[in-house]
Amino acid sequence: MPDTETETMLDYAGTPEDRGVAEPDEVTARREEKIVSKLLGLYREAAAAWRTEREALGEYYRWWSGDHWYGSNKADWQAKAAPNMIFSVIETTVPVVTDGMPRWDAVPRNAESEKNADIADAIMDDVWDRNRTSLQLAKAVRMLQIDGTFYWWDYFDADADGGRGRIIHRLVSSINLLADPSAEDFPDANYVHYAENVSLGYIRRMWPEKGKRVKASVIDPLLTRKREPVAAGGGGSFDDPQFWLSQGGSDGTDSSTRDEQVGPGSEGDHFNDLSAKRQATLVHSYVRTPKGIRCYVWAGGVLLDEYDNQLNGTERGDMFPFAKTINYHKDGAWHGGSEIEWLINPQQIVNNALCHILDNAKLTGNPVLVYSTQSGFEPENYAAGPGVSIGVNGDPNSMVRWLEIPQLDPKMFELINFGQSAIRVISGVQDAITGKRPPGIIAASAIASLQESIQVRLREKFRMVAAGLEESGRIVWELAKKYYDLPRVLRIVGKDGKADFITMNESVPGPDGEPIASNGLADAAYDIRIELGAGMPANKTTRANLALQAFQLGAIDNEAFLDEVEFHNREKVLERINAKQAEAQKAQMAAQQQGAGGGAGAQPQLPAAVEEMAALVQEGFAPAEEEVPANA
């Protein structure tokens, strides 16, 4: 639990406006200066504690991007090959984990809330769509594996949508969030900082009055990493933000006199500030106080804004507005383990072995030439090539000769195979995940079962991402209950794909004739869940085949089957199947009336609907039966 000493560090009393008193300007200035000074101390404390973890992110990014020989002292002629299997592993995982990723689902807690369930789902869908969460998911899964940790930040922007406000759902990198070093998770933290280096133009536009006092000052150079391109040559100049990461930067550095630290184009709105190099570290500090969590926004020694945490007064009033997702748990650690952390060593084995082979091939084709200084041979005038002759003074056998190149050990090739195999084993990403058929396996069901078994590791990532989204969804719901008190039109999409529109908080006449707000959230009680669904391809295949078997046994009907396999355009397919089934029934009744096909020895016919469903599975999902070899 948070300690009392840290809780009272800022001596929270609220702003003068909160207390309803007038305060002289000089008193306000001293109070704000004191607050910023304490916040800066907390930020430096967190930056120092998490320095190692944050610096490692630059190295992990280089391994993902293929810059595997960064800072090496290799000669120009030496090979710098890097078959980037780390990139392959991560980018193979991203589409598999995000395939079929579901949305938030609002589950009513009581019967009274059930009548507004569509409104709750529509609100969650609206937040999801307007913040482009589906597009953010791929980036989130990639960030999860590279950095080991990422966050969702949810808050209410009162100025959006013409003053009606809108809930913002943002993806946050672990390099931008610094938490209390004494905590392992948000419930234990005394404070949390979200920081980014932004242009002065942005600050002055968002805070017109106080923003004018902010001067260029970057207290955290590591934050500039994501705002500049990586140097292609892997050099160590100050123009390369990766160099800052490798050097660690220095907390508290003033960038106003170091133009080389910040490059142009650091903010999309830099045209509002003619000098885009003029930046400051903008920090949102959430601090626990005796009266709840309070947010302080500051930059360049100026307190720009302060307000109570937006979750105060809700069911999650003691929580910060962040949801954390980690890749691998580490006991007693705040951050999760990066995928790259475990793949660097086998990738190095592959790189070193391949470079050794290439260097040997270069030396074999153009070996080192040994000559006597008294021979008269001038190496600067000689270029090796077919038919080139060398004239020297003296015995050429003793005075000019090729240096014999050691023979390459055949086991060097085995090292490459070993490294590649180790990467597959450690990451859990096998060839079958991508749809490749393993040698010796030809049965469709066996391939599906193999894919199911090797996706255990990936399903764990699937669950971690879903858990983070679920936690974020709970924050979004509390914000909606608290701030969505004005009329707004919501779109409700049914299973048939048709959209209906409903107005929440709409003013309608009450029983006594007085206007009342309908479709409100005042008494709504919902739990936010994530329905994982089929998710991965092997799971979808298994579910489709099981659903077909259940349909053949009569355990489920047409509609339930299409729901289970999440079939596209299910309504149109249902209409087609029902029409064919009705035609078959009419034909069967006509045949029975004519006395045909009704004998005691007649075999039961497979219903037309079952044939239709079997065709759907075979064409759209996977074979329902095992494939039999031609020579069986």
Side-chain angles (χ1 to χ4, degrees):
M1 294 298 294
D3 57 271
T4 306
E5 180 180 356
T6 307
E7 284 183 346
T8 58
M9 288 185 68
L10 296 180
D11 298 326
Y12 169 77
T15 64
E17 292 78 5
D18 295 336
R19 301 193 303 272
V21 299
E23 186 175 72
D25 292 343
E26 60 272 12
V27 176
T28 300
R30 286 197 300 270
R31 182 182 66 85
E32 293 181 352
E33 183 180 354
K34 179 180 179 182
I35 289 176
V36 172
S37 177
K38 291 184 177 181
L39 291 173
L40 180 59
L42 292 178
Y43 190 92
R44 286 176 170 167
E45 176 186 58
W50 301 122
R51 177 174 175 173
T52 300
E53 287 81 0
R54 298 176 75 214
E55 289 176 359
L57 300 182
E59 179 184 1
Y60 297 155
Y61 180 82
R62 286 195 296 271
W63 283 94
W64 171 81
S65 63
D67 190 9
H68 295 183
W69 297 99
Y70 176 83
S72 67
N73 56 357
K74 279 176 168 279
D76 292 339
W77 68 270
Q78 289 183 294
K80 296 182 181 179
N84 198 347
M85 297 193 66
I86 288 179
F87 178 88
S88 175
V89 165
I90 291 178
E91 296 307 310
T92 298
T93 303
V94 169
V96 175
V97 174
T98 56
D99 181 48
M101 180 61 69
R103 294 171 175 251
W104 291 309
D105 182 29
V107 181
R109 292 183 183 176
N110 49 52
E112 291 75 14
S113 299
E114 190 171 1
K115 62 182 179 180
N116 287 336
D118 288 343
I119 296 179
D121 282 331
I123 291 175
M124 302 305 292
D125 287 345
D126 180 72
V127 174
W128 183 286
D129 291 335
R130 300 190 67 178
N131 289 282
R132 301 187 299 176
T133 305
S134 296
L135 295 178
Q136 292 190 72
L137 280 175
K139 183 178 179 181
V141 175
R142 184 177 295 109
M143 188 183 297
L144 176 70
Q145 297 181 91
I146 296 177
D147 296 349
T149 312
F150 75 85
Y151 309 89
W152 296 109
W153 183 16
D154 301 287
Y155 57 91
F156 181 75
D157 183 358
D159 297 326
D161 289 354
R164 287 181 302 172
R166 180 163 63 90
I167 295 175
I168 306 299
H169 177 64
R170 289 183 58 183
L171 178 64
V172 173
S173 168
S174 57
I175 200 170
N176 293 93
L177 193 140
L178 289 84
D180 179 1
S182 66
E184 294 183 21
D185 209 342
F186 288 113
D188 307 321
N190 296 294
Y191 62 87
V192 175
H193 303 290
Y194 172 80
E196 56 182 337
N197 291 343
V198 302
S199 69
L200 294 180
Y202 172 80
I203 294 176
R204 291 166 183 170
R205 188 176 69 255
M206 297 300 295
W207 295 274
E209 295 300 325
K210 293 186 176 181
K212 298 176 182 178
R213 296 160 44 197
V214 177
K215 303 207 174 163
S217 177
V218 172
I219 66 171
D220 195 342
L222 293 180
L223 297 176
T224 308
R225 174 182 68 94
K226 66 184 181 63
R227 299 187 178 276
E228 294 189 46
V230 179
S237 71
F238 284 101
D239 292 331
D240 180 10
Q242 300 295 334
F243 178 73
W244 270 106
L245 280 170
S246 64
Q247 298 301 310
S250 60
D251 185 43
T253 301
D254 187 351
S255 67
S256 59
T257 57
R258 295 293 299 274
D259 290 344
E260 66 273 16
Q261 293 182 12
V262 183
S266 60
E267 279 289 317
D269 57 9
H270 63 273
F271 54 85
N272 290 309
D273 183 358
L274 297 180
S275 175
K277 295 183 178 181
R278 300 172 62 194
Q279 288 189 332
T281 302
L282 176 66
V283 187
H284 290 71
S285 298
Y286 290 86
V287 183
R288 290 189 188 275
T289 72
K291 294 185 179 181
I293 298 175
R294 191 165 179 83
C295 180
Y296 301 88
V297 185
W298 54 283
V302 178
L303 183 64
L304 299 170
D305 197 4
E306 56 177 308
Y307 52 87
D308 286 335
N309 181 30
Q310 293 180 339
L311 290 174
N312 290 359
T314 69
E315 291 186 6
R316 307 182 67 79
D318 62 338
M319 301 296 293
F320 296 97
F322 300 97
K324 181 171 69 170
T325 303
I326 63 174
N327 192 37
Y328 294 117
H329 281 281
K330 291 184 175 181
D331 291 341
W334 176 280
H335 299 92
S338 167
E339 200 77 35
I340 299 177
E341 186 176 348
W342 324 116
L343 299 180
I344 288 178
N345 284 341
Q347 179 72 64
Q348 286 177 326
I349 292 175
V350 174
N351 292 352
N352 290 329
L354 182 58
C355 286
H356 184 81
I357 294 172
L358 294 176
D359 289 345
N360 187 275
K362 289 181 180 180
L363 291 173
T364 301
N366 192 8
V368 177
L369 192 64
V370 180
Y371 67 96
S372 171
T373 56
Q374 285 78 34
S375 65
F377 175 69
E378 298 180 356
E380 61 273 11
N381 296 328
Y382 170 77
V388 175
S389 59
I390 306 175
V392 297
N393 298 323
D395 183 3
N397 294 326
S398 61
M399 305 183 73
V400 180
R401 62 184 176 85
W402 295 109
L403 184 66
E404 184 177 357
I405 307 302
Q407 188 175 5
L408 186 66
D409 189 345
K411 293 183 179 180
M412 191 65 62
F413 296 93
E414 297 180 7
L415 276 179
I416 297 178
N417 294 332
F418 169 78
Q420 294 175 336
S421 177
I423 288 176
R424 287 191 292 267
V425 171
I426 294 173
S427 66
V429 177
Q430 305 290 337
D431 290 340
I433 290 179
T434 63
K436 295 181 181 179
R437 181 176 65 84
I441 299 180
I442 58 176
S445 60
I447 295 175
S449 298
L450 177 62
Q451 289 178 330
E452 179 81 14
S453 63
I454 64 179
Q455 285 179 356
V456 173
R457 294 272 299 281
L458 295 186
R459 284 199 298 272
E460 178 63 20
K461 295 189 192 317
F462 193 79
R463 283 189 288 267
M464 295 301 294
V465 173
L469 279 172
E470 189 173 280
E471 177 68 12
S472 175
R474 297 190 186 105
I475 297 175
V476 168
W477 174 247
E478 294 299 330
L479 292 173
K481 283 186 62 178
K482 183 175 180 179
Y483 292 103
Y484 278 18
D485 54 357
L486 296 176
R488 61 181 70 227
V489 178
L490 300 173
R491 179 180 59 192
I492 299 176
V493 181
K495 291 184 177 180
D496 57 357
K498 296 180 179 179
D500 293 325
F501 298 90
I502 188 172
T503 301
M504 65 176 299
N505 299 316
E506 183 179 14
S507 180
V508 298
D512 56 356
E514 295 295 326
I516 61 173
S518 65
N519 300 325
L521 302 178
D523 300 323
Y526 294 91
D527 291 319
I528 305 301
R529 296 284 185 262
I530 289 290
E531 174 62 37
L532 296 183
M536 300 182 184
N539 296 347
K540 290 182 177 180
T541 301
T542 302
R543 287 184 59 175
N545 287 329
L546 290 176
L548 176 62
Q549 295 173 18
F551 180 81
Q552 290 173 337
L553 295 174
I556 59 176
D557 59 10
N558 297 345
E559 187 173 359
F561 174 84
L562 294 178
D563 286 341
E564 187 67 18
V565 299
E566 300 176 1
F567 202 84
H568 185 60
N569 291 331
R570 57 187 296 281
E571 295 298 329
K572 294 182 179 180
V573 174
L574 275 174
E575 291 177 3
R576 187 182 67 181
I577 292 177
N578 291 336
K580 288 188 176 182
Q581 192 171 10
E583 292 177 2
Q585 289 176 351
K586 289 181 181 179
Q588 186 176 7
M589 291 177 61
Q592 289 176 351
Q593 291 176 359
Q594 296 177 4
Q603 296 296 324
Q605 297 288 325
L606 184 67
V610 173
E611 294 179 346
E612 192 74 22
M613 293 301 180
L616 290 175
V617 172
Q618 292 173 354
E619 296 174 6
F621 297 94
E625 299 179 352
E626 294 188 0
E627 299 177 2
V628 180
N631 59 353

